[in-house]
Amino acid sequence: MKIRIPNLLLFFFLSTTFGQSNDRTYLGHDHNYSSVYSYGISEITIHSDSTYTRKNWSVNNKKEWKTYKNYKPEISNGKITRNGEFYSMTEYRNGHKTDYSWTIKISEKRLNYYYPNKKEKLRISAKYKRIR
């Protein structure tokens, strides 16, 4: 009995200090064809409460993309809902739903954006790789 109490206390202490996060982070980068910046980097973190945080960076050229963390990102938040095999990402600003909504598919290694073509079939528009 004397040994069990310290072991239980140690177990509870260690279980609360070494918790893991279920948040997943995906990274995508490609040319964005804007008039000011030519390369865009986007990082999407999906939280366990069905919300997401999206961070977008713009750099002058592809050579600078690995140093994107040195720049200030544009941050947006939203909610994720499941629609059968796919998910919908809906952006919210100031607590109100915006017109921005995307169809995505999430796997362990990738996050893919889809768009409907002329025949209303979904085609992949962007691929993101899981980094955390």
Side-chain angles (χ1 to χ4, degrees):
M1 187 66 178
K2 291 180 182 179
I3 296 175
R4 287 187 184 176
I5 293 173
N7 282 342
L8 284 174
L9 290 173
L10 183 63
F11 173 77
F12 287 122
F13 175 75
L14 290 177
S15 65
T16 58
T17 57
F18 294 109
Q20 293 182 354
S21 173
N22 290 332
D23 296 347
R24 297 177 183 182
T25 302
Y26 298 90
L27 177 70
H29 53 92
D30 201 0
H31 292 280
N32 62 5
Y33 305 106
S34 74
S35 60
V36 179
Y37 298 104
S38 68
Y39 207 75
I41 301 99
S42 182
E43 192 175 279
I44 300 170
T45 303
I46 298 176
H47 307 287
S48 59
D49 61 350
S50 297
T51 61
Y52 72 90
T53 302
R54 180 182 173 129
K55 297 178 183 177
N56 294 321
W57 290 269
S58 294
V59 294
N60 292 327
N61 55 40
K62 187 175 181 178
K63 293 178 183 177
E64 296 178 15
W65 90 265
K66 291 191 178 187
T67 61
Y68 71 94
K69 291 279 188 175
N70 296 338
Y71 301 98
K72 184 178 178 182
E74 178 184 322
I75 299 173
S76 60
N77 297 308
K79 291 185 181 181
I80 298 176
T81 55
R82 187 172 187 131
N83 295 331
E85 181 181 350
F86 297 96
Y87 292 88
S88 292
M89 287 175 51
T90 307
E91 187 174 323
Y92 286 83
R93 288 192 185 159
N94 300 327
H96 301 289
K97 184 177 177 180
T98 63
D99 292 336
Y100 298 110
S101 183
W102 299 276
T103 301
I104 61 169
K105 190 172 187 180
I106 302 170
S107 68
E108 282 296 316
K109 295 183 180 183
R110 293 205 179 273
L111 181 142
N112 296 326
Y113 274 81
Y114 289 86
Y115 72 96
N117 64 2
K118 293 178 184 177
K119 297 179 181 179
E120 295 300 318
K121 288 189 176 183
L122 293 176
R123 300 287 182 210
I124 294 178
S125 64
K127 295 180 181 180
Y128 287 69
K129 186 178 179 181
R130 185 172 177 185
I131 56 173
R132 278 183 248 132

